[in-house]
Amino acid sequence: MWGLVPLFWPLLKPADAMEILAHRMAWSLGLVVVVLLLMRRWAWIGELVRQPRRLALIAVAAAVITVNWGVYIWSVNAGHVVEASLGYFINPLVTIAMGVLILKERLRRAQWVAVGVGAAAVVVLTVGYGQPPWISLTLAFSFATYGLVKKQVNLGGLESLAAETAVQFLPALVYLLWLGGQGRATFTTEGAGHAALLAATGVVTAIPLICFGGAAIRVPLSTLGLLQYLAPVFQFLLGIAYFHEAMPPERWAGFALVWLALTTLTWDALRTARATRRALAQALANAPTPPLASAPPQTQGS
């Protein structure tokens, strides 16, 4: 679903990216509230409102994902689907770099190689574009920052989306009312079908995320990580085959370097996971067996 989203945003024209973004924020909250009502999951709210630090982090996450959503919608409708897909290809590399710079994590050699190759790819693409691929970099850094903040918040996917869209709702509503007052809103002027599509932005936002949350507890993490590459792959293929965006040689070279970096990263992750499983199995096999408890002496009945 995430990989096919570029097919949806153009359907919302003549609404511009800002209007689509505001509707996405407003309708997402509505849908999430309905889901929470059906699931009766409200206990987390009382705990959350008593923790100002987590509330502040949620506000930061809401601001960062707003930037990510807005840039992505604009890039798709402006004909930059391929460059948008690149942002989600390089996002794992940016996340790793942030882990080193901010969380002081230590990288394995293969991870350093992957980050270095990814940086070289950005240089090649910068030369090819004549400027840095700012759409890709904005999407990658905003989503990596979003992940970093959510790690600190430590809240479930559905609950986190509810809290973030609650922060987004009032600014989105104010903007939509202002847009309507200016006579520039398309929600009420382009027919019922257009209004329904704008309302469906909540479904397009929430349903894939809910499915992802359900998969996260059922699918091995290594498999889940590999599956997440499908979204930018689909976006890239749509950009070339459906939207007919240009792919000059230097852009192919940059993408090839990114894919090489991701291949290195994936190979290292799978190898490390296998080694960890083997070490755990060996440790369990070599663990001493605890002695059986001796039975208490039996007394003779009279």
Side-chain angles (χ1 to χ4, degrees):
M1 285 186 281
W2 274 326
L4 298 176
V5 161
L7 296 174
F8 179 70
W9 304 126
L11 301 178
L12 304 181
K13 294 177 180 180
D16 63 17
M18 283 295 294
E19 183 179 4
I20 296 171
L21 174 63
H23 277 285
R24 184 179 191 182
M25 293 190 292
W27 292 106
S28 293
L29 177 61
L31 181 63
V32 170
V33 167
V34 170
V35 174
L36 288 174
L37 279 171
L38 293 174
M39 300 180 69
R40 299 182 180 180
R41 286 166 59 174
W42 297 106
W44 58 275
I45 297 178
E47 180 184 350
L48 182 63
V49 296
R50 293 191 295 268
Q51 301 180 51
R53 180 178 178 274
R54 292 180 80 193
L55 287 173
L57 288 172
I58 284 172
V60 173
V64 172
I65 201 61
T66 297
V67 172
N68 182 273
W69 286 356
V71 171
Y72 184 74
I73 293 167
W74 175 85
S75 64
V76 170
N77 284 356
H80 300 289
V81 176
V82 169
E83 192 174 349
S85 74
L86 176 64
Y88 293 106
F89 276 125
I90 66 177
N91 173 66
L93 303 173
V94 174
T95 299
I96 289 174
M98 282 188 170
V100 173
L101 297 174
I102 298 175
L103 302 181
K104 308 302 180 183
E105 295 178 353
R106 298 184 64 180
L107 298 187
R108 296 182 294 274
R109 182 178 302 175
Q111 291 175 312
W112 277 115
V113 170
V115 172
V117 173
V122 173
V123 173
V124 170
L125 289 165
T126 298
V127 173
Y129 280 108
Q131 60 181 6
W134 71 267
I135 293 175
S136 305
L137 294 174
T138 302
L139 290 173
F141 276 91
S142 60
F143 202 72
T145 303
Y146 178 66
L148 179 66
V149 174
K150 283 176 72 72
K151 183 179 178 66
Q152 307 301 315
V153 174
N154 192 26
L155 194 63
L158 184 62
E159 293 84 353
S160 179
L161 181 62
E164 292 156 16
T165 50
V167 173
Q168 295 172 326
F169 180 78
L170 186 57
L173 181 61
V174 169
Y175 177 76
L176 290 173
L177 292 174
W178 174 83
L179 203 63
Q182 297 289 312
R184 294 163 49 197
T186 65
F187 183 74
T188 57
T189 61
E190 296 295 324
H194 180 73
L197 285 172
L198 285 173
T201 54
V203 176
V204 169
T205 300
I207 295 301
L209 188 61
I210 292 171
C211 291
F212 178 79
I217 61 176
R218 294 171 172 84
V219 179
L221 191 61
S222 57
T223 304
L224 197 66
L226 290 174
L227 288 173
Q228 288 186 73
Y229 289 134
L230 288 177
V233 166
F234 286 155
Q235 293 165 12
F236 175 76
L237 293 175
L238 283 173
I240 294 176
Y242 183 80
F243 293 102
H244 305 292
E245 294 184 17
M247 280 292 291
E250 59 272 16
R251 191 175 296 184
W252 279 112
F255 268 83
L257 286 173
V258 169
W259 294 331
L260 176 61
L262 293 178
T263 301
T264 303
L265 201 62
T266 303
W267 168 78
D268 176 69
L270 294 175
R271 183 189 63 169
T272 303
R274 283 195 297 267
T276 301
R277 286 196 297 269
R278 284 197 299 267
L280 180 60
Q282 187 66 33
L284 291 174
N286 294 336
T289 303
L292 294 175
S294 58
Q298 295 181 352
T299 57
Q300 297 291 331
S302 56

